[in-house]
Amino acid sequence: MSINATIDRVTDRIRNRSHASRAAYLKKIARAAEDGPRRAHLSCGNQAHAYAAMPDKDDMANTRKPNIGVVTAYNDMLSAHQPYERYPDLIRRSAHAVGATVQVAGGVPAMCDGVTQGRAGMELSLFSRDVIALATGVSLSHDCFDAALYLGVCDKIVPGLVIGAATFGHIPAVFLPAGPMPSGLPNDEKSKVRQQFAAGEVGREALMAAEMASYHSAGTCTFYGTANSNQMLMEFMGLHLPGSSFVNPNTPLRDALTVAGVERAAAITKLGNHYLPAGEILDEKAFVNGIVGLMTTGGSTNLVMHIPAMARAAGVLIDIEDFHDISESVPLMARVYPNGLADVNHFHAAGGIGYMIGQLLDAGMLHEDVKTIIGTGLDGYTTEPKLTGERVVWEDGAKETLNDKILRPVGDPFAVTGGLKQLEGNLGRGVIKVSAVAAERHVIEAKARVFSDQEAVKAAFKAGEFTEDTIVVVRFQGPRANGMPELHSLTPTLAVLQDRGLKVALLTDGRMSGASGKVPAAIHISPEASVGGPLSRVRDGDLIRMDATMGTIDCLAEDFDNRRPATFDPGPSSEGMGREMFSVFRATAGSATEGAGVVV
């Protein structure tokens, strides 16, 4: 099947936009690779320090066995990352069995957005991505590794690791997932209890019981938020083994996939005949494939910022117009919470990523001619892993959906477009995700209520101040103001107003969680208010029109362009909970439309 005309056009646009930066990047990683395995150039003293604690240090010093570095986001506070505790020993045994050695090169921080939602710590969340990239760089700076394994799952962790992997793009990279927790309390039931609590209909005891029944085990949260969107992305981009993203933790198949990942990392170093540096995999076609996957699954809007940042690290320049155009050209094939009632375990059982990739390849909506960690071509990602004894083998994946309420073919999708829209007007430029928003709410024209933080919105709600259709403007939430926290804790409040029959929407230069759904939210508005962006000129009572159909976002006040902007008071968000240490990040962060990066 020939490639879809829009996918081809967008890919060409990205290639042309990135011509100089991508060429410079490829030259850089070629220079880094040209001397052969880097550790061969370490002095005897350097090597002695590097291998002193290893039981097989003599092999390290005197043979050409591949040495694999592990960069891990393990901690036992995040349910998604707790399974990584047992990975190093399994990885070492697997590497030794194929004549390789392994060292844990370093750890990277991994914070849980579910813990920090609505709290001061959330203002460090986005910047943790760049810290992770920096920590990855420190881990790999010892120059001892012929390949790297990356252990990470959640929101900022995978993007940060990819930025690091791209920066060390001459080193082959294999990403090893940990998998989702088994299904617990259905996500829609949990959401209902949250709304009941916000409305004062149930107490904290009922809320806590629902939350604990939903988040109940080791593994990724089962809704289709940023963490699971990351896992989808790594598979669509060829950095995971096929079918490995949504296999539950601590199962025989999960362990077998980890073993296979180690074996593959050992096979693709420059010491062998199948050298596959990460930087060659991370080209414009891989990122386009990732965007297609994001749109056709109804994935997290956080990736609209993370993908440009990851791509920039590999010399590829992506704009939000690319997301918009791809979204308009691909169908929505999946309904996974918050875009439906199913969770990722149900999605995986219905045919999952392999089924979707097969459908999209047949329809010409993905680039097949890409490099992946398993070789050349994306067709291998239509297979699914099965156990034969303790070994994993790949068999043909599902050719038909096994549940058309969750997963549908390209020719009979849930919607003809991916559901993400670019918004542009006199209020700036941003995005809105409408895949879970009812069609009658795609256009909202209402008066503005302006706030400078989310707590003020909740206070106004509790005071009964929202009595008419309202566009809630929460400004000074961009990366250069307070680090661009997610505003997900507003979702239950706004959902209650919507359920009362009001038309409500959120307009912000901040972010919403990948779990946010049915309330229309225009997010990532740039330029942000703290640098004099248009949101700084909005006043209470202004009539605002948010039109996801036409892709516009405008303030209709006649004097809007001539107003003096409101000024940002950094005091409340400049200190406490470590925020003072991130002042240099806030001062230098890029715009949301370019990935809000500090290190890229």
Side-chain angles (χ1 to χ4, degrees):
M1 172 67 70
S2 59
I3 195 73
N4 173 276
T6 301
I7 301 299
D8 194 37
R9 175 174 56 82
V10 171
T11 306
D12 279 343
R13 183 170 69 202
I14 295 171
R15 185 183 296 113
N16 292 333
R17 185 192 299 138
S18 311
H19 177 75
S21 55
R22 179 65 178 172
Y25 172 80
L26 291 174
K27 287 180 181 178
K28 180 188 77 169
I29 65 170
R31 286 194 301 270
E34 65 188 5
D35 292 334
R38 305 299 299 174
R39 60 195 175 91
H41 302 282
L42 297 178
S43 72
C44 294
N46 295 149
Q47 292 191 56
H49 277 287
Y51 312 146
M54 296 187 70
D56 47 2
K57 54 180 170 286
D58 291 336
D59 281 351
M60 294 285 293
N62 300 316
T63 71
R64 284 173 56 84
K65 291 182 177 181
N67 186 37
I68 302 171
V70 177
V71 181
T72 178
Y74 162 72
N75 65 52
D76 61 8
M77 188 192 74
L78 274 76
S79 62
H81 291 74
Q82 187 275 339
Y84 285 134
E85 181 175 17
R86 49 189 294 272
Y87 273 46
D89 285 341
L90 178 59
I91 289 169
R92 289 188 190 99
R93 292 196 304 270
S94 306
H96 292 165
V98 293
T101 55
V102 168
Q103 293 178 291
V104 175
V108 303
M111 66 181 290
C112 180
D113 288 0
V115 176
T116 58
Q117 287 290 350
R119 310 289 298 172
M122 174 53 75
E123 294 178 11
L124 306 185
S125 175
L126 178 59
F127 290 148
S128 75
R129 180 194 69 194
D130 292 64
V131 174
I132 290 161
L134 290 167
T136 301
V138 172
S139 300
L140 298 177
S141 66
H142 300 96
D143 215 11
C144 294
F145 308 110
D146 303 297
L149 295 170
Y150 295 92
L151 279 55
V153 175
C154 288
D155 299 41
K156 266 60 63 183
I157 294 88
V158 168
L161 291 173
V162 172
I163 291 170
T167 304
F168 286 77
H170 62 290
I171 301 175
V174 174
F175 280 66
L176 297 180
M181 66 178 68
S183 301
L185 181 74
N187 288 293
D188 60 319
E189 294 183 29
K190 173 198 67 182
S191 180
K192 181 180 179 181
V193 175
R194 285 181 175 178
Q195 289 181 221
Q196 290 173 329
F197 179 77
E201 297 171 4
V202 301
R204 186 167 293 278
E205 184 176 343
L207 176 66
M208 191 65 192
E211 298 287 358
M212 293 295 285
S214 181
Y215 307 118
H216 64 96
S217 175
T220 316
C221 307
T222 59
F223 59 82
Y224 194 52
T226 309
N228 286 317
S229 296
N230 283 339
Q231 301 310 293
M232 172 281 304
L233 188 73
M234 292 299 93
E235 200 157 329
F236 267 79
M237 291 179 63
L239 293 172
H240 275 178
L241 291 176
S244 64
S245 296
F246 299 131
V247 175
N248 299 125
N250 305 316
T251 59
L253 180 55
R254 175 84 277 155
D255 285 354
L257 284 163
T258 300
V259 171
V262 177
E263 293 172 348
R264 191 58 191 161
I268 60 177
T269 74
K270 202 168 185 182
L271 292 168
N273 298 320
H274 305 287
Y275 179 49
L276 273 173
E280 291 186 9
I281 292 175
L282 293 168
D283 66 3
E284 66 281 349
K285 290 183 178 180
F287 284 106
V288 166
N289 282 351
I291 296 172
V292 171
L294 183 69
M295 296 307 148
T296 198
T297 58
S300 168
T301 54
N302 279 323
L303 271 298
V304 180
M305 281 199 311
H306 294 323
I307 288 176
M310 289 186 276
R312 191 173 290 267
V316 178
L317 304 180
I318 290 175
D319 187 84
I320 59 172
E321 68 173 344
D322 303 322
F323 290 90
H324 174 88
D325 289 353
I326 290 174
S327 180
E328 289 292 291
S329 70
V330 301
L332 181 67
M333 296 172 61
R335 284 284 193 202
V336 188
Y337 189 86
N339 300 333
L341 298 181
D343 67 23
V344 293
N345 292 309
H346 305 137
F347 166 76
H348 185 65
I353 292 174
Y355 169 77
M356 295 189 76
I357 289 178
Q359 286 280 308
L360 291 163
L361 284 172
D362 288 346
M365 293 179 179
L366 288 172
H367 293 286
E368 202 283 328
D369 56 335
V370 292
K371 292 183 178 180
T372 75
I373 61 168
I374 65 170
T376 300
L378 197 63
D379 187 64
Y381 285 78
T382 65
T383 61
E384 61 179 322
K386 298 290 181 66
L387 272 180
T388 299
E390 295 183 354
R391 303 288 299 174
V392 64
V393 297
W394 277 266
E395 300 177 355
D396 289 343
K399 302 299 183 185
E400 305 288 338
T401 177
L402 302 179
N403 188 332
D404 65 5
K405 293 182 175 63
I406 300 170
L407 194 55
R408 288 188 181 173
V410 165
D412 183 28
F414 292 101
V416 296
T417 65
L420 186 106
K421 304 279 188 176
Q422 177 182 221
L423 296 175
E424 195 163 8
N426 69 1
L427 285 170
R429 195 166 176 240
V431 296
I432 184 170
K433 177 181 174 182
V434 294
S435 52
V437 176
E440 63 270 19
R441 299 183 185 276
H442 288 191
V443 180
I444 294 184
E445 187 173 303
K447 292 179 181 178
R449 279 292 309 275
V450 183
F451 302 89
S452 294
D453 62 71
Q454 55 187 315
E455 291 306 313
V457 180
K458 297 175 189 176
F461 171 77
K462 290 178 180 178
E465 296 178 13
F466 296 108
T467 58
E468 60 181 345
D469 295 349
T470 305
I471 291 184
V472 176
V473 179
V474 187
R475 63 190 180 193
F476 302 126
Q477 304 298 304
R480 299 196 64 169
N482 63 353
M484 205 177 186
E486 288 183 349
L487 305 178
H488 179 57
S489 66
L490 292 179
T491 299
T493 299
L494 298 178
V496 168
L497 295 175
Q498 186 169 273
D499 290 347
R500 289 175 179 171
L502 298 180
K503 281 194 170 185
V504 293
L506 177 69
L507 171 60
T508 182
D509 48 9
R511 298 184 292 134
M512 287 297 279
S513 166
S516 303
K518 67 179 184 178
V519 177
I523 58 177
H524 307 177
I525 299 297
S526 299
E528 63 177 280
S530 67
V531 297
L535 288 186
S536 65
R537 300 197 300 274
V538 179
R539 297 174 182 169
D540 281 343
D542 283 349
L543 193 63
I544 291 177
R545 182 175 177 84
M546 181 188 299
D547 189 335
T549 303
M550 299 301 295
T552 58
I553 181 74
D554 292 291
C555 179
L556 304 182
E558 292 183 1
D559 65 337
F560 180 70
D561 291 336
N562 299 319
R563 292 177 181 172
R564 183 187 301 273
T567 57
F568 170 60
D569 175 11
S573 59
S574 63
E575 62 182 24
M577 207 56 61
R579 288 177 289 184
E580 49 271 87
M581 294 190 292
F582 284 78
S583 60
V584 66
F585 281 57
R586 292 191 295 271
T588 57
S591 72
T593 53
E594 295 179 346
V598 176
V599 300
V600 289

